[in-house]
């Protein structure tokens, strides 16, 4: 069992993720999260960071006079070790397989109207956390 926020967090209390250095993108099958954690002071040269990504997708589907508004969501998690530089910085990229199902309906023409991505970063050893949200307006047709 790993204690998050316990004695390991006190050991590295200055460590934190840099919001401006965090980005999340999604191509429909893989979410890519880039991040930077600074002031990491551990007695090892790696730290373990989990990245949980949630994609919330809204779509409008039409067939004749019928209109359906659909909301679908999916979440995926990735946890890996990342190297700590001599200056106490962790630069990382996580590629998390993530697919949202149920966006295509037989006989309907569907347009994605909104995509919201939420990435939650957590360093298991320093206790640092960050939640990063991105909204994408990107209409895209599915037949």
């Amino acid at each position: 069992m790993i204690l998050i926020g316990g004695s390991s967090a006190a050991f590295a209390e200055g460590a934190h993720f840099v919001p401006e250095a965090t980005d999340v993108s999604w191509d429909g099958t893989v979410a890519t999260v880039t991040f930077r954690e600074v002031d990491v002071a551990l007695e090892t040269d790696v730290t373990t960071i989990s990245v949980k990504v949630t994609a919330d997708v809204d779509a409008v589907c039409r067939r004749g006079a019928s209109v359906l508004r659909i909301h679908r969501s999916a979440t995926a998690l990735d946890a890996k070790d990342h190297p700590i530089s001599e200056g106490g910085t962790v630069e990382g990229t996580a590629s998390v397989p993530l697919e949202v199902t149920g966006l295509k309906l037989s006989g309907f023409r569907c347009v994605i109207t909104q995509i919201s991505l939420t990435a939650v970063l957590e360093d298991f050893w320093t206790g640092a956390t960050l939640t990063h949200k991105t909204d994408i307006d990107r209409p895209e047709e599915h037949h």
Side-chain angles (χ1 to χ4, degrees):
M1 182 169 150
I2 299 172
L3 290 175
I4 298 173
S7 61
S8 64
F11 180 76
E13 68 184 48
H16 61 280
F17 289 100
V18 179
E20 301 79 21
T22 305
D23 187 46
V24 61
S25 62
W26 182 55
D27 67 4
T29 58
V30 175
T32 302
V33 181
T34 56
F35 59 87
R36 180 183 311 132
E37 184 182 10
V38 295
D39 299 331
V40 179
L42 299 175
E43 294 177 0
T44 179
D45 58 355
V46 297
T47 190
T48 306
I49 296 175
S50 74
V51 178
K52 181 172 79 171
V53 182
T54 301
D56 288 294
V57 181
D58 293 316
V60 175
C61 298
R62 300 178 192 277
R63 179 174 63 192
S66 298
V67 177
L68 298 173
R69 298 186 188 286
I70 299 173
H71 176 83
R72 298 289 185 261
S73 181
T75 300
L77 176 71
D78 179 67
K80 289 190 176 143
D81 288 342
H82 293 274
I84 304 168
S85 72
E86 285 187 33
T89 300
V90 178
E91 300 265 358
T93 300
S95 294
V96 184
L98 178 63
E99 290 191 51
V100 178
T101 60
L103 295 172
K104 296 178 184 179
L105 299 175
S106 180
F108 282 80
R109 176 170 289 188
C110 296
V111 177
I112 293 173
T113 58
Q114 176 72 27
I115 300 170
S116 296
L117 302 172
T118 304
V120 179
L121 301 153
E122 183 171 9
D123 187 317
F124 288 164
W125 303 115
T126 68
T129 61
L130 176 74
T131 300
H132 179 86
K133 295 183 179 186
T134 301
D135 289 327
I136 302 167
D137 287 313
R138 195 176 83 194
E140 190 176 292
E141 258 190 68
H142 291 279
H143 302 282

